[in-house]
Amino acid sequence: MPEPLPPLWTAQEIALATGGRVEGGVFDASGLTYNSREIGPGDLFLALKGARDGHDFAGSAFEAGAAGALVERPVDGGPCIVVPDTQKALEALGAAARDRAPHIRRGAVTGSVGKTSVTQAIKAGLDLAGPAHASIKSYNNHIGVPLTLARMPASVERAVFEIGMNAPGEIAPLSKLVQPHAACVTTVGPVHIEAFSDGEAGVAREKAAIFQGLGPGGLAIVNGDNPWFDTLHQAALHVGARVATFGSETFHDARLIDFVPFDGGARVTAEVWGRTHVFPLRQSGFHWGLNSLAVILMLDALDVPVETALTALGEFSPLSGRGEIRTVHIPGGAFTLIDESYNANPLSMKAGFLSLAAKPVERGGRRVVVLTDMLELGDQSRALHAGLSEPIEAAAIDLVHAAGPEMRHLYDAISPERRGVWAPTASDLADQARDLVGPGDIVMVKGSNGSKASLVAAALLRLERDEVPGA
């Protein structure tokens, strides 16, 4: 029989790392979470204070099998480690996880578009190379990053962390906590710009702050095709980092030569460190040409061979709501659903239209987009929504359905023959799902997570179950 795995943390280790005191007995923790509904037997429950006080849920956590709790005041139900501030204690525990395993090669990823998918693609490559660890979901903020660090077993060889932001000053502290050996900025665009007085320039500086966590000899990986390349490059040089670039020009360390989409994927031709590679992807979006190069450079920096990276990329499927492709059968035939409902911004919208334009359509079918509001664009929101009319026209999109007050600006800007249905909310649009599509159509659903584009995607998927006899 295999030997049992050592605990992730003992009570004594947690107390030492956080400066807390053990009350109610010692314990071993096999995992940790701040969500009492996600507790598994043997987990440490983190009583964080947010919109609700986590201490109120400690009892439920113990009933679900929590081994102990990290708290600011003693609670009933099981042993605790009492600390002055649970958020700071979580950060200290993350730092302790990092320091107790100096052999682990760590990478960090940020960017206005693609950071979650790129992070998970890197994780796929790390898994092929040996025991690895990574962020789950979009755990990329002041809670998610230290939580991911604190969950990192000392036995793994490599790890990758996603780092995000909503406002100035958030990325640098998280990167300094991770202390990555390599850090990547996928791209910079008009995302979260309402939080920055100088708009996209502020976003670029904030994304560049990821390089502040690099130590001596660390590698900064930068999108050389991005308009904010100089800002990113100078920030990397300022901290003494080495720089590797990816892009479409001959001088880049990883150069995209060709990207050919096909049904269910794409073929990429690229030159990496002077060697030409041709490899398949299960992603068909044009932005995955450059994304794949970012993945290869990051994996190379974490001591994963290029051949292993190419294998991982060839097997990596689109994440939920980030380019999943489904065939939905309805009376008279079927339509293709491209689910991009998890998030959206002007950059990813334009990339999506370009990818949709490259897909062949059956005779009688149409290229259809179903769009909900892009959020956090501040006083530029109206212009950025209306401005999507140009790439829609350029991509020869046949029909545009839209939901939300901001998308009304786009709806009014597009040519009348392209106008489909507009509704005040995504829920209202979802109620009209049967009227949005027809047999042979290729349909992309895209919008910010907060504007509920996923409701429309789910309603379109349900058409198969609701309308096909015997389904």
Side-chain angles (χ1 to χ4, degrees):
M1 292 182 62
E3 294 187 11
L5 295 173
L8 182 65
W9 295 101
T10 66
Q12 296 93 329
E13 289 170 340
I14 297 168
L16 181 63
T18 63
R21 67 179 188 276
V22 180
E23 293 196 4
V26 297
F27 60 89
D28 292 340
S30 56
L32 61 158
T33 183
Y34 61 89
N35 189 338
S36 61
R37 293 170 296 183
E38 296 179 354
I39 284 286
D43 281 350
L44 173 71
F45 174 65
L46 309 170
L48 301 180
K49 291 180 176 179
R52 304 185 70 177
D53 188 343
H55 293 77
D56 296 338
F57 301 93
S60 299
F62 282 121
E63 290 175 4
L70 186 69
V71 297
E72 294 176 10
R73 59 179 186 272
V75 295
D76 296 330
C80 303
I81 296 169
V82 183
V83 296
D85 185 312
T86 49
Q87 175 63 38
K88 291 181 178 177
L90 172 59
E91 294 165 5
L93 199 59
R98 177 200 68 211
D99 292 343
R100 72 180 179 180
H103 64 280
I104 297 176
R105 296 284 294 174
R106 297 180 302 279
V109 178
T110 194
S112 297
V113 182
K115 57 184 175 292
T116 299
S117 293
V118 166
T119 299
Q120 295 306 318
I122 293 168
K123 171 61 160 52
L126 299 183
D127 284 337
L128 292 180
H133 180 70
S135 308
I136 62 169
K137 303 178 183 177
S138 291
Y139 278 25
N140 62 23
N141 65 3
H142 68 289
I143 295 174
V145 173
L147 179 63
T148 302
L149 260 177
R151 287 173 167 174
M152 184 173 68
S155 58
V156 303
E157 297 173 356
R158 301 172 181 86
V160 62
F161 301 83
E162 178 183 342
I163 299 180
M165 65 88 185
N166 290 301
E170 294 181 345
I171 287 181
L174 297 177
S175 183
K176 290 176 181 178
L177 181 62
V178 172
Q179 294 183 11
H181 298 91
C184 174
V185 178
T186 60
T187 192
V188 174
V191 184
H192 305 302
I193 56 176
E194 69 177 5
F196 294 85
S197 60
D198 54 353
E200 203 170 328
V203 173
R205 287 195 304 275
E206 180 66 17
K207 294 299 183 183
I210 195 172
F211 302 138
Q212 294 183 30
L214 292 169
L219 182 67
I221 296 172
V222 183
N223 183 340
D225 286 358
N226 189 261
W228 298 100
F229 170 76
D230 288 342
T231 298
L232 301 170
H233 188 224
Q234 290 302 315
L237 296 179
H238 181 72
V239 299
R242 296 177 295 124
V243 178
T245 63
F246 61 96
S248 55
E249 302 295 334
T250 56
F251 57 84
H252 292 309
D253 301 297
R255 177 170 68 99
L256 181 64
I257 298 172
D258 195 18
F259 184 92
V260 181
F262 53 78
D263 189 21
R267 185 184 73 249
V268 180
T269 304
E271 185 179 81
V272 182
W273 303 121
R275 288 180 58 197
T276 300
H277 304 273
V278 180
F279 56 94
L281 296 176
R282 292 187 179 181
Q283 323 279 338
S284 60
F286 276 93
H287 56 290
W288 264 97
L290 292 184
N291 280 355
S292 67
L293 302 188
V295 171
I296 293 168
L297 290 179
M298 280 291 292
L299 287 170
D300 181 65
L302 299 177
D303 298 332
V304 177
V306 171
E307 290 72 19
T308 303
L310 299 183
T311 298
L313 283 166
E315 297 174 351
F316 182 70
S317 297
L319 302 177
S320 177
R322 294 179 170 93
E324 284 182 299
I325 299 177
R326 301 279 292 274
T327 300
V328 182
H329 295 276
I330 57 175
F335 68 91
T336 300
L337 175 64
I338 304 171
D339 184 359
E340 289 272 6
S341 62
Y342 185 80
N343 219 336
N345 55 65
L347 277 183
S348 64
M349 284 285 191
K350 293 173 185 177
F353 302 151
L354 184 64
S355 298
L356 187 58
K359 295 185 181 299
V361 180
E362 294 180 15
R363 186 181 181 88
R366 304 164 297 178
R367 294 182 179 88
V368 181
V369 292
V370 185
L371 310 176
T372 65
D373 288 349
M374 302 180 291
L375 304 180
E376 299 183 51
L377 298 179
D379 59 8
Q380 297 185 48
S381 183
R382 178 172 186 155
L384 289 170
H385 280 83
L388 295 179
S389 62
E390 293 183 10
I392 284 174
E393 299 279 345
I397 303 300
D398 296 299
L399 192 61
V400 178
H401 303 301
E406 298 305 311
M407 274 300 166
R408 182 73 205 199
H409 303 309
L410 167 64
Y411 190 79
D412 291 340
I414 58 177
S415 55
E417 67 271 15
R418 299 186 196 278
R419 291 178 191 157
V421 176
W422 175 83
T425 68
S427 179
D428 295 328
L429 195 59
D431 290 340
Q432 303 177 64
R434 295 183 187 187
D435 302 323
L436 305 181
V437 298
D441 289 349
I442 299 180
V443 185
M444 183 182 76
V445 179
K446 194 165 182 64
S448 287
N449 197 32
S451 61
K452 307 296 184 183
S454 59
L455 295 178
V456 187
L460 290 171
L461 280 174
R462 285 197 300 270
L463 292 180
E464 180 168 83
R465 183 186 67 194
D466 295 342
E467 297 192 7
V468 177

